[in-house]
Amino acid sequence: MMKHLILTLSIAIAFILAGCAETGRYPVSGEECGPNDPVLSLDASDCVAVPAGI
């Protein structure tokens, strides 16, 4: 039970800290966002998970 609590708190803290980034910067790397970033052309259909075993 205590392991689950610690794991849950650790994950929550990681998400909170990852969300603490300046506007215009990526939260994890801290790099500045720009108009030529390749992620701007991503679409939700690019992120479809492939089922296991295929």
CSV table of all heavy atoms in Angstrom, one decimal:
chain,number,residue,atom,x,y,z
A,1,MET,N,0.8,-1.2,0.0
A,1,MET,CA,0.0,0.0,0.0
A,1,MET,C,0.9,1.3,0.0
A,1,MET,O,0.6,2.2,-0.7
A,1,MET,CB,-0.9,0.0,1.2
A,1,MET,CG,-1.8,1.2,1.4
A,1,MET,SD,-3.2,1.0,0.3
A,1,MET,CE,-4.1,2.4,0.8
A,2,MET,N,1.9,1.3,0.8
A,2,MET,CA,2.8,2.4,0.9
A,2,MET,C,3.5,2.6,-0.4
A,2,MET,O,3.8,3.8,-0.8
A,2,MET,CB,3.7,2.3,2.1
A,2,MET,CG,4.5,3.5,2.4
A,2,MET,SD,3.4,4.8,2.9
A,2,MET,CE,4.5,5.8,3.8
A,3,LYS,N,3.9,1.5,-1.1
A,3,LYS,CA,4.6,1.6,-2.3
A,3,LYS,C,3.8,2.3,-3.4
A,3,LYS,O,4.2,3.1,-4.2
A,3,LYS,CB,5.1,0.3,-2.8
A,3,LYS,CG,6.2,-0.3,-2.1
A,3,LYS,CD,6.6,-1.7,-2.7
A,3,LYS,CE,7.7,-2.3,-1.9
A,3,LYS,NZ,8.2,-3.6,-2.5
A,4,HIS,N,2.5,2.0,-3.4
A,4,HIS,CA,1.6,2.6,-4.3
A,4,HIS,C,1.4,4.1,-4.1
A,4,HIS,O,1.4,4.9,-5.0
A,4,HIS,CB,0.2,1.9,-4.3
A,4,HIS,CG,0.2,0.5,-4.7
A,4,HIS,ND1,0.4,0.1,-6.1
A,4,HIS,CD2,0.0,-0.7,-4.1
A,4,HIS,CE1,0.4,-1.2,-6.2
A,4,HIS,NE2,0.2,-1.7,-5.0
A,5,LEU,N,1.4,4.5,-2.8
A,5,LEU,CA,1.2,5.9,-2.5
A,5,LEU,C,2.5,6.6,-2.9
A,5,LEU,O,2.4,7.7,-3.5
A,5,LEU,CB,1.0,6.0,-1.0
A,5,LEU,CG,0.9,7.5,-0.5
A,5,LEU,CD1,-0.3,8.2,-1.1
A,5,LEU,CD2,0.9,7.5,1.1
A,6,ILE,N,3.6,6.1,-2.6
A,6,ILE,CA,4.9,6.7,-3.0
A,6,ILE,C,5.0,6.8,-4.6
A,6,ILE,O,5.4,7.9,-5.1
A,6,ILE,CB,6.1,6.0,-2.4
A,6,ILE,CG1,6.1,6.2,-0.9
A,6,ILE,CG2,7.4,6.5,-3.0
A,6,ILE,CD1,7.1,5.3,-0.2
A,7,LEU,N,4.6,5.8,-5.2
A,7,LEU,CA,4.7,5.8,-6.7
A,7,LEU,C,3.7,6.8,-7.3
A,7,LEU,O,4.1,7.6,-8.2
A,7,LEU,CB,4.3,4.4,-7.3
A,7,LEU,CG,4.3,4.3,-8.8
A,7,LEU,CD1,5.7,4.6,-9.4
A,7,LEU,CD2,3.9,2.9,-9.2
A,8,THR,N,2.5,6.9,-6.7
A,8,THR,CA,1.5,7.8,-7.2
A,8,THR,C,2.0,9.3,-6.9
A,8,THR,O,1.8,10.1,-7.8
A,8,THR,CB,0.2,7.6,-6.5
A,8,THR,OG1,-0.2,6.2,-6.7
A,8,THR,CG2,-0.9,8.5,-7.0
A,9,LEU,N,2.5,9.5,-5.8
A,9,LEU,CA,3.0,10.9,-5.5
A,9,LEU,C,4.2,11.2,-6.4
A,9,LEU,O,4.3,12.4,-6.8
A,9,LEU,CB,3.4,11.0,-4.0
A,9,LEU,CG,2.3,11.0,-3.0
A,9,LEU,CD1,2.8,11.0,-1.6
A,9,LEU,CD2,1.4,12.2,-3.2
A,10,SER,N,5.1,10.3,-6.6
A,10,SER,CA,6.2,10.6,-7.5
A,10,SER,C,5.8,10.9,-8.9
A,10,SER,O,6.3,11.8,-9.5
A,10,SER,CB,7.1,9.3,-7.6
A,10,SER,OG,7.6,9.0,-6.3
A,11,ILE,N,4.8,10.2,-9.4
A,11,ILE,CA,4.3,10.5,-10.8
A,11,ILE,C,3.6,11.8,-10.8
A,11,ILE,O,3.8,12.6,-11.7
A,11,ILE,CB,3.3,9.4,-11.2
A,11,ILE,CG1,4.1,8.1,-11.5
A,11,ILE,CG2,2.6,9.8,-12.5
A,11,ILE,CD1,3.3,6.8,-11.7
A,12,ALA,N,2.8,12.1,-9.8
A,12,ALA,CA,2.1,13.4,-9.7
A,12,ALA,C,3.1,14.6,-9.6
A,12,ALA,O,3.0,15.6,-10.3
A,12,ALA,CB,1.2,13.5,-8.5
A,13,ILE,N,4.2,14.4,-8.8
A,13,ILE,CA,5.2,15.5,-8.7
A,13,ILE,C,5.9,15.6,-10.1
A,13,ILE,O,6.2,16.8,-10.5
A,13,ILE,CB,6.2,15.1,-7.6
A,13,ILE,CG1,5.5,15.3,-6.3
A,13,ILE,CG2,7.4,16.0,-7.7
A,13,ILE,CD1,6.2,14.8,-5.1
A,14,ALA,N,6.2,14.5,-10.8
A,14,ALA,CA,6.9,14.6,-12.1
A,14,ALA,C,6.0,15.4,-13.1
A,14,ALA,O,6.5,16.2,-13.8
A,14,ALA,CB,7.2,13.2,-12.6
A,15,PHE,N,4.7,15.1,-13.1
A,15,PHE,CA,3.8,15.9,-14.0
A,15,PHE,C,3.7,17.3,-13.6
A,15,PHE,O,3.7,18.2,-14.5
A,15,PHE,CB,2.4,15.3,-14.0
A,15,PHE,CG,2.3,14.1,-14.9
A,15,PHE,CD1,2.2,12.8,-14.5
A,15,PHE,CD2,2.3,14.3,-16.3
A,15,PHE,CE1,2.0,11.7,-15.3
A,15,PHE,CE2,2.2,13.2,-17.2
A,15,PHE,CZ,2.1,11.9,-16.7
A,16,ILE,N,3.7,17.6,-12.4
A,16,ILE,CA,3.6,19.0,-11.9
A,16,ILE,C,4.9,19.8,-12.3
A,16,ILE,O,4.8,20.9,-12.9
A,16,ILE,CB,3.4,19.1,-10.4
A,16,ILE,CG1,2.0,18.7,-10.1
A,16,ILE,CG2,3.6,20.5,-9.9
A,16,ILE,CD1,1.7,18.4,-8.6
A,17,LEU,N,6.1,19.2,-12.1
A,17,LEU,CA,7.3,19.8,-12.5
A,17,LEU,C,7.5,19.9,-14.0
A,17,LEU,O,8.0,20.9,-14.4
A,17,LEU,CB,8.5,19.0,-11.8
A,17,LEU,CG,8.6,19.1,-10.3
A,17,LEU,CD1,9.8,18.2,-9.9
A,17,LEU,CD2,8.8,20.5,-9.9
A,18,ALA,N,7.0,19.0,-14.7
A,18,ALA,CA,7.1,19.0,-16.2
A,18,ALA,C,6.2,20.1,-16.7
A,18,ALA,O,6.5,20.7,-17.8
A,18,ALA,CB,6.7,17.7,-16.8
A,19,GLY,N,5.1,20.4,-16.0
A,19,GLY,CA,4.3,21.5,-16.5
A,19,GLY,C,4.8,22.9,-16.1
A,19,GLY,O,4.2,23.9,-16.6
A,20,CYS,N,5.8,23.0,-15.3
A,20,CYS,CA,6.3,24.3,-14.9
A,20,CYS,C,7.4,24.7,-15.9
A,20,CYS,O,8.6,24.6,-15.7
A,20,CYS,CB,6.9,24.2,-13.5
A,20,CYS,SG,5.7,23.9,-12.2
A,21,ALA,N,7.0,25.2,-17.0
A,21,ALA,CA,7.9,25.7,-18.0
A,21,ALA,C,7.4,27.1,-18.5
A,21,ALA,O,6.3,27.4,-18.4
A,21,ALA,CB,8.0,24.8,-19.2
A,22,GLU,N,8.4,27.9,-18.9
A,22,GLU,CA,8.0,29.2,-19.4
A,22,GLU,C,7.3,29.1,-20.7
A,22,GLU,O,7.4,28.1,-21.4
A,22,GLU,CB,9.3,30.0,-19.7
A,22,GLU,CG,10.2,30.3,-18.5
A,22,GLU,CD,11.5,31.0,-18.9
A,22,GLU,OE1,11.5,31.7,-19.9
A,22,GLU,OE2,12.5,30.8,-18.1
A,23,THR,N,6.4,30.0,-20.9
A,23,THR,CA,5.7,30.0,-22.2
A,23,THR,C,6.7,30.2,-23.3
A,23,THR,O,7.6,31.0,-23.3
A,23,THR,CB,4.7,31.2,-22.2
A,23,THR,OG1,3.8,31.1,-21.1
A,23,THR,CG2,3.9,31.2,-23.5
A,24,GLY,N,6.5,29.3,-24.3
A,24,GLY,CA,7.4,29.4,-25.5
A,24,GLY,C,8.6,28.4,-25.3
A,24,GLY,O,9.5,28.5,-26.1
A,25,ARG,N,8.6,27.6,-24.3
A,25,ARG,CA,9.7,26.6,-24.1
A,25,ARG,C,9.1,25.2,-23.9
A,25,ARG,O,8.0,25.1,-23.4
A,25,ARG,CB,10.5,27.0,-22.9
A,25,ARG,CG,11.3,28.3,-23.0
A,25,ARG,CD,12.4,28.4,-22.0
A,25,ARG,NE,13.2,29.5,-22.3
A,25,ARG,CZ,14.3,29.4,-23.1
A,25,ARG,NH1,14.6,28.3,-23.7
A,25,ARG,NH2,15.0,30.5,-23.4
A,26,TYR,N,9.8,24.2,-24.3
A,26,TYR,CA,9.4,22.8,-24.1
A,26,TYR,C,9.6,22.5,-22.6
A,26,TYR,O,10.6,22.9,-22.0
A,26,TYR,CB,10.2,21.9,-25.0
A,26,TYR,CG,9.8,22.0,-26.4
A,26,TYR,CD1,10.6,22.5,-27.3
A,26,TYR,CD2,8.6,21.5,-26.8
A,26,TYR,CE1,10.3,22.6,-28.7
A,26,TYR,CE2,8.2,21.6,-28.2
A,26,TYR,CZ,9.1,22.1,-29.1
A,26,TYR,OH,8.7,22.2,-30.4
A,27,PRO,N,8.6,21.9,-22.0
A,27,PRO,CA,8.7,21.6,-20.5
A,27,PRO,C,9.8,20.7,-20.1
A,27,PRO,O,10.4,20.9,-19.0
A,27,PRO,CB,7.4,21.0,-20.2
A,27,PRO,CG,6.7,20.8,-21.4
A,27,PRO,CD,7.4,21.4,-22.5
A,28,VAL,N,10.2,19.7,-20.8
A,28,VAL,CA,11.2,18.7,-20.4
A,28,VAL,C,12.6,19.2,-20.7
A,28,VAL,O,13.5,19.3,-19.8
A,28,VAL,CB,11.0,17.3,-21.0
A,28,VAL,CG1,12.1,16.4,-20.7
A,28,VAL,CG2,9.6,16.8,-20.6
A,29,SER,N,12.8,19.6,-21.9
A,29,SER,CA,14.2,20.0,-22.3
A,29,SER,C,14.5,21.5,-22.0
A,29,SER,O,15.7,21.9,-21.9
A,29,SER,CB,14.4,19.8,-23.8
A,29,SER,OG,13.5,20.7,-24.6
A,30,GLY,N,13.5,22.3,-21.9
A,30,GLY,CA,13.7,23.8,-21.7
A,30,GLY,C,14.1,24.5,-22.9
A,30,GLY,O,14.3,25.7,-22.9
A,31,GLU,N,14.1,23.8,-24.1
A,31,GLU,CA,14.5,24.5,-25.3
A,31,GLU,C,13.4,25.4,-25.8
A,31,GLU,O,12.2,25.2,-25.5
A,31,GLU,CB,14.8,23.5,-26.4
A,31,GLU,CG,16.0,22.6,-26.2
A,31,GLU,CD,16.3,21.7,-27.3
A,31,GLU,OE1,16.0,22.0,-28.4
A,31,GLU,OE2,16.9,20.7,-27.0
A,32,GLU,N,13.8,26.5,-26.5
A,32,GLU,CA,12.8,27.4,-26.9
A,32,GLU,C,12.0,26.9,-28.1
A,32,GLU,O,12.6,26.2,-29.0
A,32,GLU,CB,13.5,28.7,-27.4
A,32,GLU,CG,12.6,29.9,-27.6
A,32,GLU,CD,13.3,31.2,-27.9
A,32,GLU,OE1,14.5,31.2,-27.6
A,32,GLU,OE2,12.7,32.1,-28.3
A,33,CYS,N,10.7,27.1,-28.1
A,33,CYS,CA,9.9,26.7,-29.3
A,33,CYS,C,10.0,27.7,-30.4
A,33,CYS,O,10.2,28.9,-30.1
A,33,CYS,CB,8.4,26.7,-28.8
A,33,CYS,SG,8.0,25.6,-27.4
A,34,GLY,N,9.9,27.2,-31.6
A,34,GLY,CA,10.1,28.1,-32.7
A,34,GLY,C,9.1,27.8,-33.8
A,34,GLY,O,8.5,26.7,-33.9
A,35,PRO,N,9.0,28.7,-34.8
A,35,PRO,CA,8.1,28.4,-35.9
A,35,PRO,C,8.5,27.3,-36.9
A,35,PRO,O,7.7,26.8,-37.6
A,35,PRO,CB,8.1,29.8,-36.7
A,35,PRO,CG,9.4,30.4,-36.3
A,35,PRO,CD,9.7,30.0,-34.9
A,36,ASN,N,9.8,26.9,-36.8
A,36,ASN,CA,10.3,25.8,-37.6
A,36,ASN,C,10.3,24.4,-36.9
A,36,ASN,O,10.9,23.5,-37.4
A,36,ASN,CB,11.7,26.1,-38.2
A,36,ASN,CG,11.6,27.4,-39.0
A,36,ASN,OD1,10.7,27.6,-39.7
A,36,ASN,ND2,12.7,28.2,-39.0
A,37,ASP,N,9.7,24.3,-35.8
A,37,ASP,CA,9.8,23.1,-35.0
A,37,ASP,C,9.0,22.0,-35.8
A,37,ASP,O,7.9,22.2,-36.2
A,37,ASP,CB,9.1,23.2,-33.6
A,37,ASP,CG,10.0,24.0,-32.7
A,37,ASP,OD1,11.2,24.1,-32.9
A,37,ASP,OD2,9.5,24.6,-31.7
A,38,PRO,N,9.6,20.8,-35.9
A,38,PRO,CA,8.9,19.7,-36.6
A,38,PRO,C,7.6,19.2,-36.0
A,38,PRO,O,6.8,18.7,-36.7
A,38,PRO,CB,9.9,18.6,-36.7
A,38,PRO,CG,10.9,18.9,-35.6
A,38,PRO,CD,10.9,20.4,-35.4
A,39,VAL,N,7.4,19.5,-34.7
A,39,VAL,CA,6.2,19.0,-34.0
A,39,VAL,C,5.0,19.8,-34.4
A,39,VAL,O,3.9,19.4,-34.2
A,39,VAL,CB,6.3,19.0,-32.5
A,39,VAL,CG1,7.4,18.0,-32.0
A,39,VAL,CG2,6.6,20.4,-32.0
A,40,LEU,N,5.2,21.0,-35.0
A,40,LEU,CA,4.0,21.8,-35.4
A,40,LEU,C,3.2,21.1,-36.6
A,40,LEU,O,2.0,21.4,-36.7
A,40,LEU,CB,4.5,23.2,-35.9
A,40,LEU,CG,5.1,24.0,-34.8
A,40,LEU,CD1,5.6,25.3,-35.3
A,40,LEU,CD2,4.1,24.3,-33.7
A,41,SER,N,3.9,20.2,-37.3
A,41,SER,CA,3.2,19.6,-38.4
A,41,SER,C,2.5,18.2,-38.0
A,41,SER,O,1.9,17.6,-38.8
A,41,SER,CB,4.2,19.3,-39.6
A,41,SER,OG,5.2,18.4,-39.2
A,42,LEU,N,2.7,17.9,-36.7
A,42,LEU,CA,2.1,16.6,-36.2
A,42,LEU,C,0.6,16.7,-36.1
A,42,LEU,O,0.0,17.8,-35.9
A,42,LEU,CB,2.6,16.2,-34.9
A,42,LEU,CG,4.1,15.7,-34.8
A,42,LEU,CD1,4.5,15.5,-33.4
A,42,LEU,CD2,4.2,14.5,-35.6
A,43,ASP,N,-0.1,15.6,-36.4
A,43,ASP,CA,-1.5,15.5,-36.3
A,43,ASP,C,-1.8,14.4,-35.3
A,43,ASP,O,-1.0,13.5,-35.0
A,43,ASP,CB,-2.1,15.2,-37.6
A,43,ASP,CG,-3.6,15.3,-37.7
A,43,ASP,OD1,-4.1,16.4,-37.4
A,43,ASP,OD2,-4.2,14.2,-37.9
A,44,ALA,N,-3.0,14.4,-34.8
A,44,ALA,CA,-3.4,13.3,-33.8
A,44,ALA,C,-3.3,11.9,-34.5
A,44,ALA,O,-2.9,10.9,-33.8
A,44,ALA,CB,-4.8,13.5,-33.3
A,45,SER,N,-3.5,11.8,-35.8
A,45,SER,CA,-3.4,10.5,-36.5
A,45,SER,C,-1.9,10.0,-36.5
A,45,SER,O,-1.7,8.8,-36.7
A,45,SER,CB,-4.0,10.6,-37.9
A,45,SER,OG,-3.2,11.5,-38.6
A,46,ASP,N,-1.0,10.9,-36.3
A,46,ASP,CA,0.4,10.5,-36.3
A,46,ASP,C,0.8,9.7,-35.0
A,46,ASP,O,1.8,9.1,-34.9
A,46,ASP,CB,1.4,11.7,-36.4
A,46,ASP,CG,1.2,12.4,-37.7
A,46,ASP,OD1,0.9,11.7,-38.7
A,46,ASP,OD2,1.4,13.6,-37.8
A,47,CYS,N,-0.1,9.8,-34.0
A,47,CYS,CA,0.2,9.3,-32.7
A,47,CYS,C,-0.6,8.0,-32.3
A,47,CYS,O,-0.8,7.7,-31.2
A,47,CYS,CB,0.0,10.4,-31.6
A,47,CYS,SG,1.0,11.8,-31.9
A,48,VAL,N,-1.1,7.3,-33.3
A,48,VAL,CA,-1.9,6.1,-33.1
A,48,VAL,C,-1.0,5.0,-32.7
A,48,VAL,O,0.0,4.7,-33.3
A,48,VAL,CB,-2.7,5.8,-34.4
A,48,VAL,CG1,-3.4,4.5,-34.2
A,48,VAL,CG2,-3.6,6.9,-34.8
A,49,ALA,N,-1.4,4.4,-31.6
A,49,ALA,CA,-0.6,3.2,-31.1
A,49,ALA,C,-0.9,2.0,-31.9
A,49,ALA,O,-2.0,1.7,-32.2
A,49,ALA,CB,-0.9,3.0,-29.6
A,50,VAL,N,0.2,1.2,-32.1
A,50,VAL,CA,0.1,0.0,-32.9
A,50,VAL,C,-0.2,-1.1,-31.8
A,50,VAL,O,0.5,-1.2,-30.8
A,50,VAL,CB,1.3,-0.4,-33.6
A,50,VAL,CG1,1.2,-1.7,-34.3
A,50,VAL,CG2,1.6,0.7,-34.6
A,51,PRO,N,-1.2,-2.0,-32.0
A,51,PRO,CA,-1.5,-3.0,-31.1
A,51,PRO,C,-0.3,-4.0,-30.9
A,51,PRO,O,0.4,-4.2,-31.9
A,51,PRO,CB,-2.7,-3.7,-31.7
A,51,PRO,CG,-3.3,-2.8,-32.6
A,51,PRO,CD,-2.2,-1.9,-33.1
A,52,ALA,N,-0.1,-4.5,-29.7
A,52,ALA,CA,1.0,-5.5,-29.5
A,52,ALA,C,0.8,-6.7,-30.3
A,52,ALA,O,-0.3,-7.2,-30.5
A,52,ALA,CB,1.0,-5.8,-28.0
A,53,GLY,N,1.9,-7.3,-30.8
A,53,GLY,CA,1.8,-8.5,-31.5
A,53,GLY,C,1.7,-8.4,-33.0
A,53,GLY,O,1.6,-9.3,-33.7
A,54,ILE,N,1.7,-7.1,-33.5
A,54,ILE,CA,1.6,-6.9,-35.0
A,54,ILE,C,3.0,-6.7,-35.5
A,54,ILE,O,3.8,-6.0,-35.0
A,54,ILE,CB,0.6,-5.8,-35.3
A,54,ILE,CG1,-0.8,-6.2,-34.9
A,54,ILE,CG2,0.7,-5.4,-36.8
A,54,ILE,CD1,-1.8,-5.1,-35.2
